[in-house]
Amino acid sequence: MDQIKQVAIVGGVHGNEFSGIYLVKQYQQQPEQITRSSFTTETVWANPEAHYANKRYLHSDLNRQFKTVDLANPDLSNYEQSRAKVLNAQLGPKGNARIDLLIDLHNTTSNMGACLILTQAGPFYNKLAAYVKMKMPEAIISRDEDHFAAEDHALMCTLGRYGVLVEVGPQPQSVLRQDVLELMHRMTQHILDFVELYNKDALPALPKQTEAFRYLHSIKLPMNERGERIGMVHKNVQDRDYQPIHPGDPLFTLFDGTVVPYQGETVVYPTFINEAAYYDNNLAMSLNEKVLIEL
Amino acid sequence: MDQIKQVAIVGGVHGNEFSGIYLVKQYQQQPEQITRSSFTTETVWANPEAHYANKRYLHSDLNRQFKTVDLANPDLSNYEQSRAKVLNAQLGPKGNARIDLLIDLHNTTSNMGACLILTQAGPFYNKLAAYVKMKMPEAIISRDEDHFAAEDHALMCTLGRYGVLVEVGPQPQSVLRQDVLELMHRMTQHILDFVELYNKDALPALPKQTEAFRYLHSIKLPMNERGERIGMVHKNVQDRDYQPIHPGDPLFTLFDGTVVPYQGETVVYPTFINEAAYYDNNLAMSLNEKVLIEL
C-alpha cells in the first residue's frame, strides 16, 4: 500500500511572498503543529537570499529551475539554479526522491483565496482534492497537470514523489497579513491530516465529485508593436478570480479609454488576475475551464 | 494676489508604485486633461531607473532626499541623491522654486482610498482641502505639517512653492489597478480645478469645517531583543485605515498566538497599516488624531 513517510513543507521559494516564510518559522517554533503519527515532516526555507533582498528572486525564478535536464546541467550556475541543485540533493533526487510529498507554500497578489494547485494527475491527488474541499469548502482546487511529463515540469513541487502548491491571496508582495497566513495554515493542516488518514487507510467517505478549475492558457496585457503596454485589466475583472468571463465581456481597458472585450467563444474562469510577478512577461491572467474531479 | 502659474505633476518617485507612472503617461498622451486657462502644467517622471529595476528605489528613498542641506551637499551622490539634485535644478530651487505647486503621486499597499496629504500649513492648503473634500466626499485629508520647517522637510513635494501628495491605495507594489488609477486621476483633476478657481478668485462657497487626520507618530512591529519580528498587525486592524483604535483594542498578534492590545490612553486613527514599503524600518502603521480644518 502506498505510504507517505516523509513530508517537506517548503516556504520562501519566492523571497517576497511572506506567508510561507513565516509559516515555516511558525512550524519550526511549534513543531507539534506539523507532527503526525504516521510520517515525518521537515521544513525548508528555499530562497533566503531573495528574501534578504526583498525580491522574488536574485537571478532567475527558482520555481522554474526543476526540470530534470536543468538539474543535471552544471552550466546553470546562478543563485537560483544553484539552490535548485542543492534542494534536489537535499529533498530529491527528482524521479527517485527521498521526500514522498512536497508542499510548496506561495502567495499571490490576486484575489484567489486558498488555492490547492495540482500539477500532476493520479488517485492520490484526486482524493486529496476531495478531502481538502470537503473540509474547507472555500478552498479552490486548481489543476495544471496535463501539459508536461513530470521530468519536464519546472516547478519546485515536482521534486517530491508527490507535490502540491498552496497558493494564497490576495497579499501584496513583501507584506504579511494575518488572515492570509491563517488561510495558508488551515489548508496545510488539512493536507497533513489527509496524509495521516491516507497512510492509515482511514479516510472518511469522500465526495464523488469535486469542482476544480483546469488551466487552459494565459493571456497577455495589451501591447503595441514596440512591446509597450497600452492597457490594463478591466476593473470589472479585477479581484474576480474564478468568476466566469463570457464572450464579449470587458477584459481590458486601454489607456486611451477603449474597452477590449473577451474574444473567446466559450465561458472561461480567470486566475492570477493582475498578479504582480507576472508583469515581467506581460501576463494579464490565466484562463481556466471548470471541471469535476471524480472519485 | 497669490497666483499659481506653474504646476508640476510628478509620478514614479517610487519605482514600484505604478499609478503615478501611468497617470503621467496618460497625461502626456492626453494633455487636454491637465490643461487649464490660468496656469501651465508639466509632467515629470522622477525615478525611471527604479521603475526599470521594479523597485521602490535603487540606492536610497528618493522621497527622503529633499532637505535643503542635503540638496546642497555634493557628497550625497548615489542615484536618488543625484536625481534629487537634478529635480531641484529642474523644478526648484527649493525655497525659491520655479514650480508654484508640485503634485506628487503615490501608491500605498494600505487600504487608504484617495488621500490628500498636506505637509505644510497655510490658507492655500486649507482651502484646497475643503474644496477636494467637498467635491469628493470619499477623499481623506491627512495633515503632517507641524513637525518641520519646509527646508528640513525631506519630501519631494516640498520642492515646489506649494506641494501636496496624492496617496492612493490599496494597490500591491508593481501592480496597476484601474480603480486605483481612476481614483488618483479624479483627485488630481479636483486639485487642478481648484487651482483654476483659486487663480480666478472664483472659488465656490467652501465648508467652514473639513475633517482631517493629523499625524502623531508611527509604531513598530513587535520585535525581540535581537531585532527580529515576533508578530504582525492584528487582523482586526488590517485594512481599517482611519477607523478608531481604542485603548485596549487588539493591535498585534504575536507568532505564538499572543494578542497585544493598544496601550495608548486616547483614541487614535491608523494610516499606512501594514504598508509594504515600511517593513524596512519595521513600521506597523502611523497613528493620527482627528482634527478639523477651519476656514
Side-chain angles (χ1 to χ4, degrees):
Chain A
M1 202 181 81
D2 184 31
Q3 289 282 296
I4 310 285
K5 303 310 284 180
Q6 293 286 341
V7 173
I9 301 176
V10 179
V13 165
H14 295 135
N16 56 11
E17 298 177 7
F18 281 16
S19 300
I21 296 167
Y22 279 89
L23 192 57
V24 160
K25 283 189 193 185
Q26 173 181 320
Y27 290 158
Q28 289 167 349
Q29 293 292 316
Q30 302 170 68
E32 68 279 7
Q33 295 184 342
I34 54 172
T35 301
R36 301 292 186 278
S37 68
S38 67
F39 59 91
T40 302
T41 309
E42 58 196 84
T43 57
V44 178
W45 185 9
N47 196 339
E49 290 298 331
H51 182 61
Y52 299 142
N54 200 15
K55 295 172 68 172
R56 183 175 172 89
Y57 54 79
L58 291 189
H59 301 138
S60 52
D61 191 332
L62 178 57
N63 210 25
R64 304 292 183 272
Q65 306 305 326
F66 289 90
K67 289 184 187 175
T68 299
V69 63
D70 291 345
L71 291 170
N73 181 351
D75 293 339
L76 301 177
S77 58
N78 74 22
Y79 179 64
E80 278 80 13
Q81 291 162 346
S82 301
R83 285 301 299 158
K85 290 173 171 63
V86 171
L87 293 163
N88 188 47
Q90 182 181 338
L91 307 171
K94 182 165 174 170
N96 185 27
R98 180 176 67 80
I99 295 296
D100 294 303
L101 172 63
L102 195 155
I103 305 170
D104 188 16
L105 306 175
H106 285 262
N107 289 124
T108 172
T109 66
S110 305
N111 186 27
M112 288 174 59
C115 182
L116 177 66
I117 303 181
L118 309 176
T119 65
Q120 297 165 76
F124 171 83
Y125 294 107
N126 292 345
K127 289 177 189 172
L128 171 64
Y131 179 86
V132 168
K133 183 78 177 168
M134 181 177 78
K135 289 290 182 179
M136 190 175 175
E138 74 273 36
I140 299 286
I141 311 298
S142 181
R143 312 203 71 159
D144 182 18
E145 78 284 271
D146 304 336
H147 304 278
F148 301 104
E151 63 190 26
D152 296 327
H153 239 310
L155 300 176
M156 168 94 198
C157 67
T158 63
L159 200 52
R161 183 160 68 87
Y162 296 114
V164 296
L165 284 94
V166 172
E167 182 79 67
V168 188
Q171 182 168 270
Q173 294 178 340
S174 309
V175 165
L176 182 68
R177 291 179 62 108
Q178 185 182 1
D179 54 355
V180 171
L181 184 66
E182 288 179 351
L183 266 184
M184 181 179 277
H185 171 60
R186 284 176 53 216
M187 181 170 272
T188 304
Q189 291 297 308
H190 288 309
I191 295 169
L192 296 176
D193 291 344
F194 169 82
V195 173
E196 177 84 340
L197 295 165
Y198 180 86
N199 280 341
K200 293 182 168 176
D201 200 16
L203 285 170
L206 296 174
K208 294 292 174 215
Q209 295 191 318
T210 298
E211 182 187 272
F213 294 87
R214 182 176 158 275
Y215 174 79
L216 295 170
H217 59 90
S218 299
I219 54 175
K220 295 215 168 193
L221 289 163
M223 290 181 290
N224 64 18
E225 58 284 355
R226 293 190 300 279
E228 300 161 342
R229 282 172 216 142
I230 57 169
M232 58 192 154
V233 172
H234 192 281
K235 59 186 173 184
N236 287 7
V237 177
Q238 179 72 47
D239 299 335
R240 303 218 172 116
D241 299 78
Y242 315 121
Q243 299 303 307
I245 296 177
H246 297 87
D249 282 353
L251 194 61
F252 299 114
T253 303
L254 304 189
F255 298 130
D256 67 5
T258 308
V259 174
V260 178
Y262 172 59
Q263 297 179 337
E265 297 181 348
T266 58
V267 174
V268 288
Y269 300 83
T271 54
F272 291 107
I273 297 169
N274 220 358
E275 159 61 42
Y278 295 169
Y279 274 57
D280 281 2
N281 297 316
N282 285 306
L283 295 179
M285 67 193 76
S286 300
L287 299 182
N288 302 265
E289 62 178 352
K290 208 181 270 196
V291 295
L292 290 173
I293 295 176
E294 315 243 6
L295 290 185
Chain B
M1 201 181 81
D2 184 31
Q3 288 284 298
I4 311 285
K5 303 310 285 180
Q6 294 286 341
V7 172
I9 301 177
V10 179
V13 166
H14 295 134
N16 56 11
E17 298 178 8
F18 280 16
S19 300
I21 296 167
Y22 280 89
L23 192 58
V24 160
K25 284 189 194 187
Q26 174 181 320
Y27 290 159
Q28 288 166 350
Q29 294 292 317
Q30 300 170 70
E32 69 278 7
Q33 295 184 342
I34 54 173
T35 301
R36 303 290 186 279
S37 67
S38 67
F39 60 90
T40 302
T41 308
E42 58 197 83
T43 56
V44 178
W45 185 9
N47 196 339
E49 291 298 330
H51 182 61
Y52 299 141
N54 201 13
K55 293 170 70 171
R56 182 173 174 88
Y57 55 80
L58 292 189
H59 300 139
S60 51
D61 190 332
L62 178 56
N63 210 24
R64 303 291 182 272
Q65 305 305 326
F66 289 90
K67 289 184 186 175
T68 299
V69 62
D70 291 345
L71 292 169
N73 181 351
D75 293 339
L76 300 178
S77 58
N78 74 23
Y79 179 65
E80 279 79 14
Q81 291 160 348
S82 302
R83 285 301 299 158
K85 290 174 171 62
V86 170
L87 293 163
N88 188 47
Q90 182 180 339
L91 307 172
K94 180 164 175 169
N96 185 28
R98 180 177 68 80
I99 294 297
D100 293 303
L101 172 63
L102 195 155
I103 305 171
D104 188 17
L105 307 175
H106 285 263
N107 289 124
T108 172
T109 65
S110 305
N111 186 27
M112 286 173 62
C115 182
L116 177 66
I117 302 181
L118 310 176
T119 65
Q120 297 165 77
F124 171 82
Y125 294 107
N126 292 345
K127 290 177 188 170
L128 172 63
Y131 180 86
V132 168
K133 182 79 178 170
M134 181 176 78
K135 289 290 181 181
M136 190 177 176
E138 72 273 35
I140 298 286
I141 311 298
S142 180
R143 312 202 68 159
D144 182 19
E145 78 286 270
D146 304 336
H147 303 277
F148 301 104
E151 64 190 27
D152 297 328
H153 238 310
L155 299 176
M156 168 94 197
C157 66
T158 64
L159 200 52
R161 183 160 68 86
Y162 296 114
V164 296
L165 283 95
V166 172
E167 181 79 65
V168 188
Q171 182 167 269
Q173 295 178 340
S174 308
V175 165
L176 182 68
R177 291 179 62 108
Q178 186 182 0
D179 54 355
V180 170
L181 184 67
E182 289 180 351
L183 265 184
M184 181 178 277
H185 171 59
R186 283 177 53 216
M187 181 170 271
T188 303
Q189 291 298 308
H190 288 308
I191 295 170
L192 297 176
D193 291 344
F194 169 82
V195 172
E196 178 83 341
L197 296 165
Y198 179 86
N199 281 340
K200 294 182 168 177
D201 200 17
L203 285 170
L206 296 174
K208 295 291 175 218
Q209 296 190 318
T210 298
E211 182 187 273
F213 293 88
R214 182 176 160 275
Y215 174 79
L216 296 170
H217 60 90
S218 299
I219 54 175
K220 294 214 167 194
L221 290 162
M223 289 181 289
N224 63 20
E225 59 282 355
R226 292 190 301 279
E228 299 161 343
R229 283 173 217 141
I230 58 170
M232 59 193 152
V233 171
H234 191 280
K235 59 186 173 185
N236 286 6
V237 177
Q238 179 73 47
D239 298 335
R240 304 219 171 115
D241 298 78
Y242 316 120
Q243 299 304 308
I245 297 177
H246 297 87
D249 281 353
L251 194 62
F252 298 115
T253 303
L254 305 189
F255 297 129
D256 68 6
T258 308
V259 174
V260 178
Y262 172 58
Q263 297 179 336
E265 295 181 350
T266 58
V267 174
V268 288
Y269 300 83
T271 54
F272 290 107
I273 297 169
N274 220 0
E275 158 61 43
Y278 295 169
Y279 275 57
D280 282 2
N281 297 316
N282 285 306
L283 295 179
M285 67 193 76
S286 300
L287 299 182
N288 302 264
E289 62 178 351
K290 208 182 270 195
V291 295
L292 289 174
I293 295 176
E294 315 242 6
L295 291 187

